């Protein structure tokens, strides 16, 4: 058996995958397994694999090509006349397939059958750019702002395909959702348009309802015939203006046989509307069984108007829900300023944020938002970083500290050097991650998609069967019973609620996470998180602060505060990592306060040993024991014992000596984060095993593990040790989450079922993970667990509402209870019940916004 893996060029969605699979597996002796994520196919054959034959079959299936990854890319010179240009790239003028392009003149669109035209004929072509899709080796045209301003289907019927305007999904018919970006000031008008259509519908529907139902309470001064024509007149704007988009979607669904909720709405409303017109103009042709008590022909204009109005109402609420769940993104986007103050030759110039370049020196004034990511080069300040860390207390910033775009400067002016711009800034990455996550598709949603596709034709069949059974077995007035009950089945069975169940919960859940500093790149990770039973965590930067702190001072024959003053004075001149810990302990944060430190003369930095200087005529040394032993310094037994105790508690030790005698010992430690213990306890209560793996030494690892109640830990770990442990646990059937913040954690983060990166760590770690915790501590893992459980519970509640509603509604609508209880469900009440179901699902999803992510 010959087996070989090939790259697939041109495959971009599940539809492509299905076409390629069908084409290849229909070839005798060929077995093909398609991997959409990798754009690859594994071909197995008993004989030699003929690549040309395979490509010949794929050419007939579509614009797909298999490429041998082992063969080098062609470097053959392509004559100018053979190179691709806009005039030789064709697209459908109706954009039925979004950005898909073709390279054959005379090609017809496979959806609408119109002839494709050259891209250069596209209106506003200057605002488009041609680019090569390196993954699929095709030429795409796209807006110069990528996908922002375009629309996507919230049901992802065609994968990640986007559309230039909101014309409704050609598969499911749902309203498309706008993709926003950092520099997109436009608003999605879907909600406003639907709200306008709703009010217009209400204005015309209320008179219809009065005309049709008012006769039961009072007598009109005109005949029922005139009443019928007035009802028709008021119904026309609802059918052909406000509700026309619903019929267009229904028509597309039947034409492409992608049956969905709009198929049922269009079919039911059309049947009622056409019947009512026929009955109004030709009453004598209506059988006697259809007549009402006063020999009046029953009209259903009110049912049509109310059905369409209620559906528009449901669509408006859905659009409003999308608008709400996108509020986290909008809030983040509004954090970015529009201009920056560029410093050129000591003069200031205001420039648009888009013109800032890496290396530029920018001035940030009090109260302004920081324009880009960078480093302070002059001055000091306090910065409100709550949008990143969630902490309300402003952070102190000084020379050399990093600052982040979107955070707010305090009451000082400072200069900064630009390090990251555009999409590379943390703010832009946050927006993109939230956008990508809200567009990702959880596996549980695929089940509802499949159910919906089967559900619609089954319901149509039930409706036909209802009509037939009522017509032949219904007794008196069986014809009207047959029609009304068939219509009720079509309307009550609308799968709108079923289709909303998962995406609504996912989008609201992701938005909730973003507001709490939990950025989810993939909705599948949020679903998988609730199944996790083992969490592997790094130590430094995850369980601990990731920077040393001066935790203990023991002094002999000198006051602790005086010892600290000597140490701080020496460390003012040092760049050692422990120096800042000493200065922080001494409460000296800026240059003005540092002037109060004792003066140091003859300062010397002794590599690998410590720092030395003269203060007030005394020789002061601060460093490790090796220097003391090498120079025969005097150390009391008491200080040695205290140093040993500190070392046993995983402290790094420094000794302070005065004129050759040790007078104090300092203990430095990477402090455990204050909420780490409560987070670990919470995870243990949830039955989750927590394993700590660190590259630090055994003593430090043991101390941290014991302090946090972690039973299983590994010290001196290399990156391969972490990923091997993840693989080992996965082979045992465990669902593993990995948390980390460094480059050494990246492989394990990618291998784990759920990778969780600390937002305070490296970009590589964040790119390797599915979830990023902006605040950068283990409590975010516990919050992610809570969010995951709440979201999945919410999805199941939504599915229950949808399935229970359809299960109960269809039999009642079909008249199953009529022989026993005399209960029937009219089309109007069926429409109301259907919309109420959709509203219930949306309202239940929005409840996620009120959950408390507390541990």
């Amino acid at each position: 058996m010959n087996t070989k893996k090939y790259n697939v060029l041109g495959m971009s969605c599940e539809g492509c995958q299905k076409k390629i699979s069908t084409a290849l597996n229909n070839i005798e002796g060929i077995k093909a397994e398609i991997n959409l994520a990798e754009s690859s196919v594994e071909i197995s054959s008993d004989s030699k694999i003929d690549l040309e034959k395979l490509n010949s079959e794929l050419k007939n299936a579509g614009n797909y090509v298999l490429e041998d990854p082992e063969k080098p890319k062609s470097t053959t010179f392509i004559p100018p006349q053979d190179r691709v240009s806009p005039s030789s790239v064709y697209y459908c003028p109706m954009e039925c397939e979004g950005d898909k392009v073709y390279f054959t003149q005379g090609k017809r669109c496979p959806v609408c059958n119109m002839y494709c035209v050259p891209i250069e004929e596209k209106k506003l072509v200057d605002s488009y750019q041609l680019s090569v899709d390196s993954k699929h080796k095709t030429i795409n045209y796209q807006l110069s702002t990528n996908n922002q301003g375009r629309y996507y289907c919230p049901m992802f019927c065609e994968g990640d395909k986007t559309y230039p305007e909101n014309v409704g999904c050609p598969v499911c018919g749902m309203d498309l959702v706008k993709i926003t970006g950092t520099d997109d000031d436009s608003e999605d008008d879907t909600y406003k348009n639907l709200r306008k259509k709703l009010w217009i519908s209400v204005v015309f529907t209320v008179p219809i309802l009065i005309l049709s139902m008012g006769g039961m309470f009072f007598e009109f001064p005109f005949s029922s015939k005139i009443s019928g024509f007035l009802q028709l007149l008021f119904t026309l704007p609802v059918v052909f203006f406000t509700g026309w988009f619903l019929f267009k979607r229904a028509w597309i669904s039947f034409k492409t046989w992608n049956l969905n909720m709009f198929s049922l709405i269009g079919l039911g409303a059309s049947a009622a509307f056409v019947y009512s017109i026929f009955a109004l103009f030709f009453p004598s042709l209506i059988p006697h069984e259809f007549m009402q008590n006063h020999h009046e022909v029953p009209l259903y204009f009110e049912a049509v108007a109310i059905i369409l109005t209620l559906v528009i109402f449901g669509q408006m609420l859905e659009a409003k829900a999308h608008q709400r769940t996108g509020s986290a993104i909008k809030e983040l986007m509004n954090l970015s300023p529009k201009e920056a103050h560029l410093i050129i030759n000591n003069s200031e110039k205001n420039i648009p944020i888009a013109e800032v370049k890496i290396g530029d020196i920018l001035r940030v004034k009090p109260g302004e938002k920081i324009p880009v990511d960078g480093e302070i080069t002059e001055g000091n300040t306090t910065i409100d970083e709550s949008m990143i860390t969630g902490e309300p207390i402003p952070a102190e910033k000084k020379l050399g500290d990093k600052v982040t775009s979107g955070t707010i400067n305090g009451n000082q002016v400072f200069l900064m050097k630009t390090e990251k711009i555009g999409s590379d800034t943390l703010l832009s990455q946050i927006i993109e991650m939230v956008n990508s996550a809200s567009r990702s598709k959880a596996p549980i949603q695929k089940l509802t998609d499949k159910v919906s596709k089967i559900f619609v034709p089954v319901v149509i069949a039930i409706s036909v069967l209802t009509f037939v059974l009522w017509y032949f077995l219904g007794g008196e007035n069986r014809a009207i019973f047959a029609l009304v009950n068939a219509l009720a089945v079509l309307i009550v069975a609308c799968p709108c609620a079923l289709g909303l169940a998962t995406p609504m919960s996912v989008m609201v859940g992701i938005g909730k996470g973003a507001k709490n500093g939990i950025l989810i790149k993939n909705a599948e990770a949020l679903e998988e998180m609730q199944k996790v039973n083992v969490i592997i965590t790094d130590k430094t930067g995850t369980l601990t602060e990731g920077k040393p702190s001066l935790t203990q001072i023991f002094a002999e024959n000198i006051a602790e505060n005086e010892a600290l003053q000597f140490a701080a004075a020496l460390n003012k001149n040092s760049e050692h990592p422990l120096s800042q810990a000493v200065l922080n302990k001494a409460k000296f944060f800026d240059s003005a306060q540092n002037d109060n430190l004792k003066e140091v003369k003859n300062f010397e930095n002794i590599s690998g040993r410590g720092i030395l200087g003269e203060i007030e005529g005394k020789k002061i040394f601060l460093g490790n024991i090796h220097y003391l032993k090498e120079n025969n310094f005097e150390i009391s037994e008491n200080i040695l014992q205290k140093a040993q105790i500190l070392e046993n508690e995983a402290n790094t030790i420094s000794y302070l000596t005065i004129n050759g005698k040790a007078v104090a010992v300092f203990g430095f430690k990477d402090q455990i984060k204050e909420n780490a213990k409560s987070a670990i306890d919470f995870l243990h209560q949830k039955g989750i095993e927590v394993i700590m793996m660190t590259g630090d030494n055994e003593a430090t690892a043991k101390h941290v593990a014991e302090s946090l109640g972690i039973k299983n830990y590994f010290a001196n770990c290399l990156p391969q040790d972490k990923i091997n442990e993840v693989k080992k646990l996965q082979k045992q059937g465990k669902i593993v989450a990995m948390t980390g913040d460094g480059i050494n954690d990246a492989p394990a983060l990618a291998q784990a079922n759920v990778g969780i990166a600390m937002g305070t760590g490296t970009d590589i770690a964040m790119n390797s993970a599915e979830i990023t915790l902006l605040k950068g501590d283990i409590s975010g893992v516990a919050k992610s667990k809570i969010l995951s459980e709440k979201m999945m519970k919410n999805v199941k509640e939504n599915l229950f509402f949808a399935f229970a509603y359809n299960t109960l509604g269809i039999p009642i609508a079909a008249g199953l209870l009529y022989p026993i209880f005399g209960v029937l469900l009219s089309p109007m009440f069926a429409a109301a019940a259907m919309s109420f179901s959709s509203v219930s699902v949306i309202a239940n999803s929005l409840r996620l916004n009120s959950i408390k992510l507390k541990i």
Side-chain angles (χ1 to χ4, degrees), residues 179-196:
I179 302 171
T180 55
T182 55
D183 55 351
D184 182 19
D185 293 328
S186 62
E187 295 184 4
D188 186 356
D189 294 328
T190 302
Y191 170 72
K192 291 181 179 179
N193 291 336
L194 287 171
R195 185 176 62 181
K196 177 182 176 181

Side-chain angles (χ1 to χ4, degrees), residues 661-691:
K661 181 178 180 180
V663 296
V665 59
F666 293 79
F668 297 87
K669 186 190 293 185
D670 183 6
Q671 289 277 66
I672 294 173
K673 293 183 177 180
E674 58 179 338
N675 51 10
K677 183 69 167 69
S678 60
I680 296 297
D681 289 343
F682 173 83
L683 294 171
H684 283 156
Q685 290 170 10
K686 288 287 184 179
I688 299 174
E689 179 185 3
V690 180
I691 301 173

